[in-house]
């Protein structure tokens, strides 16, 4: 076998191996958990129970494998003319083992309305949980659903 042929064969093999390795590194494993956030709304539940008008956002977290030590954070934001303002953040914690597919809810994120001014609100959520002995993190979709409501804060 001649030297040029051997060197070319070796270089081609290395190039093919490198391309294969790059293709394997690009694919990411699917996140085992997901979060869904509701559209902000005037809460009829709080109005009936507490007698106040309030804007509220709900969220839930679910994983496709058993998990534990779940913390689900939910934030309620409003958009002003010049800036965005976080109004409140709540957290729902569940230290127990949670079966795959079971939802953990956070329905405690609300703030009372001070007047009837039209205001734009949105919710953001993120969570963490232990799965197979490792911490996993999830966040809500980057698509933010802004909703104008007659509830000034």
């Amino acid at each position: 076998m001649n030297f040029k042929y051997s060197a070319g064969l070796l270089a081609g093999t290395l190039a093919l191996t490198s391309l294969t390795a790059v293709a394997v590194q690009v694919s990411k494993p699917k996140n085992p958990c997901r979060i869904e956030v509701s559209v902000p709304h005037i809460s009829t539940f709080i109005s009936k129970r507490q007698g106040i008008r309030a804007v509220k956002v709900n969220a839930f977290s679910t994983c496709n494998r058993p998990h534990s030590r779940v913390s689900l954070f939910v934030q309620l934001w409003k958009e002003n003319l010049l800036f965005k303002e976080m109004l409140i953040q709540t957290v729902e914690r569940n230290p127990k083992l949670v079966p795959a597919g079971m939802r953990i809810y956070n329905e405690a994120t609300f703030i009372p309305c001070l007047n009837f001014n039209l205001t734009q609100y949105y919710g953001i959520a993120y969570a963490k949980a232990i799965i197979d002995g490792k911490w996993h993190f999830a966040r809500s979709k980057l698509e933010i659903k802004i909703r104008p409501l007659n509830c000034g804060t």
Side-chain angles (χ1 to χ4, degrees):
M1 197 186 290
N2 97 24
F3 178 74
K4 288 183 182 179
Y5 178 75
S6 298
L9 185 60
L10 179 62
T13 304
L14 288 175
L16 184 58
T17 305
S18 298
L19 288 175
T20 305
V22 169
V24 171
Q25 289 177 338
V26 171
S27 63
K28 292 183 180 179
K30 186 177 177 184
N31 194 341
C33 301
R34 69 180 174 89
I35 298 174
E36 288 193 22
V37 182
S38 72
V39 176
H41 58 281
I42 302 295
S43 175
T44 55
F45 180 82
I46 294 171
S47 178
K48 290 176 185 176
R49 299 283 177 157
Q50 298 180 17
I52 60 172
R53 288 182 79 241
V55 63
K56 181 178 181 190
V57 65
N58 300 318
F60 72 83
S61 169
T62 185
C63 297
N64 61 14
R65 295 196 308 237
H67 53 291
S68 64
R69 296 180 61 187
V70 179
S71 295
L72 174 58
F73 299 85
V74 179
Q75 300 172 341
L76 180 61
W77 288 75
K78 78 174 180 180
E79 282 202 345
N80 294 314
L81 288 175
L82 300 175
F83 59 93
K84 300 171 184 185
E85 178 182 1
M86 184 174 67
L87 301 173
I88 189 169
Q89 174 177 285
T90 60
V91 62
E92 180 68 31
R93 290 187 170 91
N94 186 338
K96 300 176 184 176
L97 182 64
V98 179
M102 183 176 166
R103 293 179 176 181
I104 301 297
Y105 290 91
N106 181 328
E107 297 179 330
T109 310
F110 69 91
I111 192 159
C113 300
L114 300 178
N115 53 48
F116 287 86
N117 293 346
L118 190 64
T119 308
Q120 294 189 9
Y121 296 98
Y122 61 93
I124 295 176
Y126 56 96
K128 63 181 182 176
I130 293 182
I131 301 174
D132 299 330
K134 295 180 183 177
W135 282 105
H136 287 263
F137 300 89
R139 65 175 175 170
S140 54
K141 295 177 186 175
L142 292 178
E143 176 187 325
I144 295 175
K145 300 171 189 168
I146 297 175
R147 176 137 189 226
L149 297 170
N150 290 324
C151 175
T153 53

